[in-house]
Amino acid sequence: MAIVAAGGRVANKVISEAVNRGFDVTAFGRKDENHTQAQTYIKKDIFDLTKEDLAGFDAVVDAFGAWTEKTLPQHSTTLAHLCDIVSGTQVRLLIVGGAGSLYVNPEHTMTLSETPDFPNAFQPLANAMAKALGELRQRNDVQWTYISPAADFQADGKRTELYLRGGEELKLNDRGESIISYADYAIAMVDEIEIGNHRQERISIVRA
């Protein structure tokens, strides 16, 4: 499997989980040196990746993240580029998604980011990621899976190895929580690569 935008903390958790399970992992990143556990590291920006770079992988994980007003549109442009270079192949493209686009009602007329309590600071990010997801849904030529975390996505949260998988709607556990650690999210991601088959679907993950 390959991980692109491998320098982030979610990417590192996914790489560690995959390597520990025996996967042969290639990481693509912009740093000069490999700071991950991936067996192979290639310094390359997403926009410079080619069909040849990703040919032969069973799965490619897109861990791209942008936060500034200038770079937020790259959620769409980077994802479109990755889709283009795996288009028409059996390579699975799994995207580290966001929670803001999860629906909060059965009618699917309101998303989490549209609720009154959604933090204003995260609104631009949620909008950018929702736009990218909407564009991804139009790609019938790509074996994609979009994986949304719970609303409270904790970088330093504990690894419980227990999670629930949902779909398009915000899922709460039995304690009424929408929470997941990066570590448990990584477990769910690698589980999907290993045994899941949610192709051209969005799924969501919450701590059990």
Side-chain angles (χ1 to χ4, degrees):
M1 60 183 282
I3 307 246
V4 300
R9 296 178 72 180
V10 176
N12 268 274
K13 292 291 187 183
V14 174
I15 291 169
S16 296
E17 182 67 29
V19 169
N20 288 339
R21 294 200 205 179
F23 279 84
D24 184 0
V25 181
T26 297
F28 293 90
R30 293 190 296 178
K31 296 178 181 177
D32 290 329
E33 298 180 358
N34 184 13
H35 297 288
T36 76
Q37 292 184 33
Q39 296 95 331
T40 303
Y41 179 79
I42 298 172
K43 182 184 178 182
K44 207 161 195 179
D45 186 83
I46 288 180
F47 290 113
D48 295 327
L49 291 172
T50 66
K51 288 180 180 290
E52 290 72 26
D53 286 324
L54 299 185
F57 287 106
D58 296 312
V60 175
V61 175
D62 174 16
F64 177 82
W67 304 95
T68 67
E69 182 179 356
K70 182 179 179 180
T71 59
L72 282 174
Q74 293 180 6
H75 281 281
S76 285
T77 54
T78 57
L79 185 51
H81 179 65
L82 290 174
C83 285
D84 287 344
I85 62 179
V86 300
S87 173
T89 73
Q90 291 303 306
V91 178
R92 293 192 66 186
L93 178 61
L94 298 100
I95 298 94
V96 176
S101 58
L102 289 168
Y103 294 105
V104 294
N105 61 348
E107 298 79 20
H108 291 187
T109 57
M110 179 176 286
T111 63
L112 179 63
S113 67
E114 295 171 323
T115 59
D117 294 333
F118 191 81
N120 289 333
F122 291 104
Q123 198 71 56
L125 175 61
N127 291 342
M129 297 187 80
K131 181 176 182 292
L133 173 58
E135 294 161 353
L136 180 66
R137 293 187 194 277
Q138 308 305 312
R139 300 296 299 247
N140 295 323
D141 56 326
V142 176
Q143 302 297 316
W144 61 266
T145 305
Y146 189 96
I147 305 182
S148 286
D152 187 1
F153 197 19
Q154 298 187 337
D156 299 316
K158 64 182 179 180
R159 176 189 171 98
T160 70
E161 301 185 21
L162 300 172
Y163 68 88
L164 304 172
R165 185 172 59 239
E168 293 282 354
E169 296 174 20
L170 182 71
K171 187 178 182 67
L172 304 180
N173 61 25
D174 290 343
R175 298 175 297 283
E177 301 169 331
S178 176
I179 183 173
I180 194 75
S181 65
Y182 282 18
D184 284 343
Y185 178 91
I187 292 172
M189 172 71 80
V190 179
D191 281 351
E192 177 60 28
I193 293 170
E194 197 168 35
I195 58 177
N197 194 33
H198 295 87
R199 297 170 191 260
Q200 297 180 345
E201 293 181 43
R202 188 256 288 273
I203 60 175
S204 53
I205 305 298
V206 64
R207 178 185 296 171

